[in-house]
Amino acid sequence: MSYLLRSDPVSRIHPEPQSLTSFDHFDLLPDSLLLLIFDKVADVKDLGRCCIVSRRFHSLVPFVENVLVRVDCVISDDDSSSSDENRRFSLNAASISDAAGAGGSFSALFRLVFAPIFKPFQALGQFLVPKRSSSSSSFDASFSAINDEIGGEMGVTHHSPTQVLKNFGEIRFLRIELPTGELGIEDGILLKWRADFGSTLDNCMILGASSVILSNQVKNLENSVDEDNGNIPESFYTNGGLKLRVVWTISSLIAASARHYLLQPIITEHKTLDRLVLSDADGQGVLCMNREQLEELRVTPLSASSASKRTLVPALNMRLWYAPQLDLPDGTVLKGATLVAIRPSESKKEVCDASWLSDAFEEPYGTAAKMLIKRRTYCLEMNSF
């Protein structure tokens, strides 16, 4: 018996290594397509990492049009390590009772430092400064500047969004996300707001409920349901229900106006902006500005409150809708559901315009707003503060 000996396919098992000078097909992608990809990336920390991939990426990232800045943590504005710039990114806080008091001073409500984006940017900044070598000193020098572009000088622990964004020159849609909402509310309470600003408040919507019962918990509800004839029950006035809603309204307006005040340096510096959204990871509040409103702020300086670092809230017309119990189609139940729609008294737009009332919140709360505005409307007014 004879055997046919066959040599191992060396070339298949151990292919020849690619030449270091092999052509990179990624280089065939045009800059315009790379910028579209970077726009999908959006997150400013990920864009910072992209900067170290190549000289080309480093040169293109500043032209990204869609940018997301996530604020990672909050610190007290009396932190000795925070800079002066960081300290002005704070919302001073006072007690709820002071906010609800007649002619109350709103000089300090809800302490929140908006500026610091520190540990991840510090670590990323250290990562982005490469070790130098004699053969690549000019290349390394080019990338050493990235540290400034995404967070400031080495050793600086806190970076404001203004600092982080300073080298982006073509931003059109900017999203900034806080780690948490400013309003400390008790567990089980629902409180959401959305506000649109130009140089001052354009409109604000607030949705609240004393408790939320999810669809999988509805079966545990008692059979008794509060009597509801479309009117606000007398107990709403006597058990503190109305006062609590006033507190929610004032608190939300102060949080919104403080956010607006802090955005002014970014809006002034980035004149290409078409839209700006400042939200929080809790989904508590959203501040929005479109192109027209951004231009208005640049032309007409905002009026600041003399009591604290926030935009002055003008005299307001408000519409309130209330339901002791609101049963949503998905089975969720809102107890003490309240919707408040707000516009400045001088506004020519209708406060009850359903187009902006029903689109202000994500589901199922958008549906809750649509259901509430079909109920009896109550009118309120509030002076400027």
Side-chain angles (χ1 to χ4, degrees), residues 90-288:
S90 63
L91 314 183
N92 295 324
S95 66
I96 289 292
S97 58
D98 289 339
S105 169
F106 306 104
S107 61
L109 183 66
F110 304 111
R111 185 176 306 264
L112 167 70
V113 173
F114 169 65
I117 310 173
F118 71 106
K119 288 185 179 178
F121 277 111
Q122 183 186 27
L124 184 56
Q126 293 169 344
F127 174 66
L128 291 179
V129 180
K131 296 180 180 180
R132 296 185 178 275
S133 65
S134 58
S135 62
S136 60
S137 58
S138 60
F139 183 70
D140 289 349
S142 171
F143 283 100
S144 66
I146 302 172
N147 181 52
D148 288 338
E149 293 181 6
I150 63 164
E153 299 177 357
M154 288 297 298
V156 176
T157 30
H158 308 303
H159 308 290
S160 71
T162 305
Q163 291 172 318
V164 172
L165 296 169
K166 67 180 181 180
N167 284 318
F168 288 89
E170 301 292 335
I171 302 177
R172 295 194 176 278
F173 179 26
L174 173 61
R175 292 169 291 159
I176 301 175
E177 183 181 284
L178 302 175
T180 184
E182 298 92 324
L183 310 182
I185 56 176
E186 297 179 5
D187 291 341
I189 291 179
L190 171 72
L191 181 58
K192 292 180 175 292
W193 59 266
R194 170 177 168 152
D196 287 54
F197 276 82
S199 60
T200 187
L201 179 69
D202 185 33
N203 62 70
C204 183
M205 185 104 49
I206 301 165
L207 177 67
S210 55
S211 65
V212 179
I213 304 171
L214 302 179
S215 55
N216 58 356
Q217 301 171 328
V218 171
K219 60 183 180 181
N220 297 324
L221 280 174
E222 296 181 1
N223 293 329
S224 60
V225 176
D226 295 335
E227 181 180 352
D228 182 9
N229 56 9
N231 297 323
I232 294 180
E234 186 67 26
S235 59
F236 182 76
Y237 304 98
T238 58
N239 65 5
L242 178 60
K243 181 179 179 180
L244 178 61
R245 271 66 180 179
V246 171
V247 170
W248 288 351
T249 301
I250 294 174
S251 303
S252 299
L253 287 169
I254 291 176
S257 62
R259 289 189 188 186
H260 180 249
Y261 180 89
L262 300 176
L263 289 172
Q264 187 177 18
I266 296 175
I267 295 170
T268 301
E269 183 171 343
H270 296 275
K271 301 187 185 301
T272 58
L273 278 173
D274 289 327
R275 188 181 176 206
L276 189 155
V277 175
L278 174 52
S279 60
D280 54 74
D282 293 342
Q284 186 180 90
V286 180
L287 183 149
C288 299

Side-chain angles (χ1 to χ4, degrees), residues 16 29 38 46 55 88 141 153 168 197 210 246 265 268 291 344 380 382:
E16 289 294 326
L29 296 178
F38 289 151
D46 291 334
R55 292 188 184 95
R88 65 186 176 83
E153 299 177 357
F168 288 89
F197 276 82
S210 55
V246 171
T268 301
R291 180 75 185 183
L380 301 91
M382 183 176 292

Side-chain angles (χ1 to χ4, degrees), residues 6-61:
R6 184 178 298 177
S7 60
D8 292 335
V10 177
S11 60
R12 296 181 183 178
I13 297 177
H14 304 291
E16 289 294 326
Q18 293 287 332
S19 172
L20 295 178
T21 59
S22 295
F23 184 75
D24 186 353
H25 292 277
F26 197 83
D27 289 337
L28 293 176
L29 296 178
D31 289 352
S32 57
L33 181 55
L34 285 179
L35 284 172
L36 288 176
I37 295 172
F38 289 151
D39 280 336
K40 296 295 184 181
V41 173
D43 188 285
V44 73
K45 284 180 282 187
D46 291 334
L47 291 173
R49 295 182 179 100
C50 290
C51 280
I52 67 171
V53 173
S54 67
R55 292 188 184 95
R56 187 184 181 199
F57 282 17
H58 177 237
S59 65
L60 289 176
V61 165

